[in-house]
Amino acid sequence: QAFFCLLLCIPWGSSCPPSCQCTERAGAKAVLCSSRHLEEIPEDIPRDAVFLKLDANSITRIPSNAFRHLSHLEELDLSRNAIEKIDQAAFKGVAAGLRTLDLSSNRIRSIPKEALLALNAKLRLANNPWHCECALQEVLWEARLDPDSVQDITCHTAPREEYVGKPLLQVLDAGVNFCSVHQRTTDVAMFITMFGWFAMVIVYIICYVRHNRDDTCKHVDYLKPLPSTQVHAE
């Protein structure tokens, strides 16, 4: 009975993952999982965690709802990993309370803007191999970026070679608008598609008319040599 009573009294939501260290910081729980060779986000992070450090690991992806149960989370450090993919709902459940989010020094080329624009947190996105495009531009203008790291958001690839290697902010300040380029590209692609369908319809009509004309000619040629069935009066 004492054993079962002990089980009931254990605060399961406050247990600490084996690969991490849980401490108190200013009266709030801090979960430290730095440099633990983690390849994915631990599933048993305490629900009352306020500070979570997952930096310097080998995490490659942030899946949807990865932190959904951490409603008290305020600071999240995912820097110096190997993150390449971030799902659209990766930070669902923590968007309201999160104050800082560090994604710097990863392998992120692009990110769904919905994943970041829903956050009120201060973002660090520096030192990633970014592909400069419309979505990244919208994040830069609308999200709360750490001003000390904005200059380190550099175009690793871009629609034009002259932008490669330059800070995104510098490119945008020069008057470049990746969203208008994207819109023009979309419009051109739509026009080409519509023209292709229109051309196919025209070709079909021409073939149909020619086919019917050839059938008519063959029928007429077939009827010509046939003897007349008309009865002549004698």
Side-chain angles (χ1 to χ4, degrees):
Q1 291 180 348
F3 174 73
F4 286 110
C5 180
L6 180 61
L7 288 178
L8 292 174
C9 293
I10 293 176
W12 294 104
S14 299
S15 60
C16 194
S19 56
C20 303
Q21 177 185 1
C22 297
T23 63
E24 294 288 330
R25 182 193 299 178
K29 174 157 290 185
V31 182
L32 311 178
C33 310
S34 305
S35 304
R36 300 301 175 95
H37 306 289
L38 298 174
E39 296 183 357
E40 57 185 20
I41 298 167
E43 296 182 354
D44 49 354
I45 297 171
R47 294 179 177 273
D48 56 348
V50 177
F51 307 99
L52 176 58
K53 289 184 65 66
L54 290 163
D55 56 304
N57 283 291
S58 302
I59 299 171
T60 59
R61 179 192 175 197
I62 307 178
S64 297
N65 302 309
F67 310 100
R68 181 178 56 184
H69 64 292
L70 305 178
S71 57
H72 300 283
L73 196 62
E74 295 182 5
E75 295 184 15
L76 176 58
D77 188 354
L78 288 160
S79 63
R80 296 184 295 151
N81 274 278
I83 299 171
E84 296 181 354
K85 180 175 177 56
I86 299 177
D87 289 357
Q88 183 172 323
F91 304 106
K92 186 176 181 179
V94 296
L98 203 61
R99 294 187 305 177
T100 62
L101 172 60
D102 195 343
L103 291 168
S104 59
S105 301
N106 278 282
R107 300 176 184 174
I108 307 170
R109 296 189 70 252
S110 62
I111 187 171
K113 63 181 181 180
E114 295 82 5
L116 297 182
L117 296 183
L119 300 173
N120 293 318
K122 183 182 292 185
L123 302 174
R124 298 188 182 98
L125 304 175
N127 302 318
N128 281 286
W130 290 107
H131 174 64
C132 288
E133 57 181 349
C134 181
L136 183 59
Q137 175 180 318
E138 291 179 343
V139 168
L140 187 65
W141 289 140
E142 299 181 36
R144 293 185 57 224
L145 298 180
D146 184 351
D148 296 332
S149 65
V150 172
Q151 288 294 339
D152 293 322
I153 301 177
T154 304
C155 296
H156 184 73
T157 57
R160 298 177 61 174
E161 189 67 26
E162 61 189 276
Y163 306 143
V164 175
K166 293 183 178 180
L168 176 59
L169 189 61
Q170 177 183 335
V171 174
L172 297 178
D173 285 343
V176 177
N177 189 337
F178 292 107
C179 293
S180 64
V181 172
H182 174 75
Q183 184 62 42
R184 285 198 299 271
T185 303
T186 303
D187 291 343
V188 170
M190 185 176 297
F191 173 78
I192 293 175
T193 302
M194 293 178 63
F195 179 80
W197 278 106
F198 181 74
M200 289 176 62
V201 171
I202 295 298
V203 170
Y204 174 79
I205 292 174
I206 293 174
C207 292
Y208 180 79
V209 170
R210 285 183 176 179
H211 177 73
N212 286 348
R213 186 182 62 185
D214 292 343
D215 285 349
T216 302
C217 292
K218 289 179 181 179
H219 185 67
V220 171
D221 292 340
Y222 173 76
L223 293 177
K224 282 181 179 179
L226 293 178
S228 176
T229 57
Q230 183 179 2
V231 179
H232 299 282
E234 294 182 357

